[in-house]
Amino acid sequence: MPPDPLSLFAQWLKSAREHPEIKEPTAMALATCSAAGQPSVRMVLLKESSAAGFVFYTNLGSRKARELAENPRAGLCFFWQPLGRQVRVDGFVQPVSAQEADRYFASRDRLARLGAWASRQSQEEKHPFALERRVARYALKFGGGEVERPPFWSGYRLVPESIEFWQAGSFRLHERLLYISQDGVWQEPRRLYP
Ligand SMILES: Cc1cc2nc3c(=O)[nH]c(=O)nc-3n(C[C@H](O)[C@H](O)[C@H](O)COP(=O)(O)O)c2cc1C
């Protein structure tokens, strides 16, 4: 049992990346919860993981961003089916810095950058092809120039307070390992009944 869950996570993510049947190894379910207590969950892509936390990017007008503004507590869940592995992470989010978001945005391909400008994520798309028209409009606006990061698009870092690893076993004798952080220090992990 490694004392640090982030190094175990890095090993599991590496195995998932190397597995030929896993097409989206960084896909994770992100659970948020409104101030009124209504949970909501959707898939996002993990863009960075380190001792500091788990980073994803999104539109700041989206439902998830609204809920995170009301309530910064959130959860993540990875499932790598061919490996029989699940990882759950609970904690709270912090916005990434503008410089970090700019750096990541600049690494995306041009169409994805134009798409970020064009999408009014989570709002009603009232007309067919409205998104395509907006992409074309921003393509014209930026021409051959640099497509900078929209002010309404950025990232969050989920700072983990607990991380649970689940490994499928034979005859449903699955293994679960729960790490809890206290005052920023990871405690000795506990085994849980499956
Ligand atoms: C595999 C997968 C990866 C996705 N990655 C992202 C992502 O990184 N960021 C994002 O904003 N939406 C991503 N989406 C779309 C979200 O699931 C969701 O539809 C969108 O963010 C709006 O969610 P919201 O209305 O709850 O805010 C992804 C969807 C799938 C299926």
Side-chain angles (χ1 to χ4, degrees):
M1 296 202 283
D4 167 17
L6 274 311
S7 60
L8 182 55
F9 179 80
Q11 284 170 33
W12 280 27
L13 181 61
K14 182 167 182 286
S15 305
R17 285 186 196 277
E18 287 169 358
H19 199 291
E21 286 167 37
I22 300 180
K23 303 298 175 212
E24 294 277 16
T26 59
M28 56 189 186
L30 163 71
T32 55
C33 189
S34 71
Q38 174 62 55
S40 67
V41 64
R42 80 290 288 152
M43 302 303 293
V44 292
L45 297 179
L46 175 72
K47 291 299 170 185
E48 186 206 307
S49 59
S50 69
F54 296 76
V55 175
F56 59 91
Y57 287 89
T58 195
N59 182 304
L60 302 180
S62 65
R63 176 176 175 178
K64 69 181 90 52
R66 268 201 323 274
E67 293 183 356
L68 289 170
E70 291 175 10
N71 171 9
R73 305 207 66 82
L76 301 172
C77 186
F78 296 83
F79 177 46
W80 296 303
Q81 194 270 333
L83 296 168
R85 287 176 172 174
Q86 170 183 258
V87 178
R88 294 164 66 176
V89 184
D90 288 342
F92 59 92
V93 297
Q94 295 173 335
V96 302
S97 69
Q99 293 84 340
E100 196 175 346
D102 286 344
R103 248 194 330 272
Y104 170 65
F105 191 75
S107 76
R108 290 165 50 110
D109 64 48
R110 192 175 179 83
L111 202 54
R113 281 181 277 156
L114 290 171
W117 278 97
S119 175
R120 294 168 155 160
Q121 192 177 62
S122 309
Q123 292 183 36
E124 185 179 357
E125 192 181 347
K126 290 201 173 115
H127 305 289
F129 306 114
L131 177 61
E132 288 78 357
R133 282 208 292 265
R134 286 175 59 81
V135 170
R137 190 199 310 165
Y138 282 106
L140 275 177
K141 175 178 171 210
F142 287 106
E146 193 53 45
V147 182
E148 75 265 22
R149 178 173 63 90
F152 53 81
W153 190 98
S154 191
Y156 295 91
R157 173 170 283 106
L158 190 144
V159 180
E161 293 175 325
S162 73
I163 306 186
E164 187 206 299
F165 296 85
W166 184 100
Q167 173 71 67
S170 319
F171 308 107
R172 296 185 190 253
L173 298 179
H174 313 309
E175 285 182 60
R176 293 173 69 188
L177 202 53
L178 175 64
Y179 290 79
I180 294 178
S181 164
Q182 258 166 26
D183 304 320
V185 179
W186 291 106
Q187 306 299 299
E188 188 72 16
R190 300 175 206 161
R191 291 190 182 283
L192 303 182
Y193 282 101

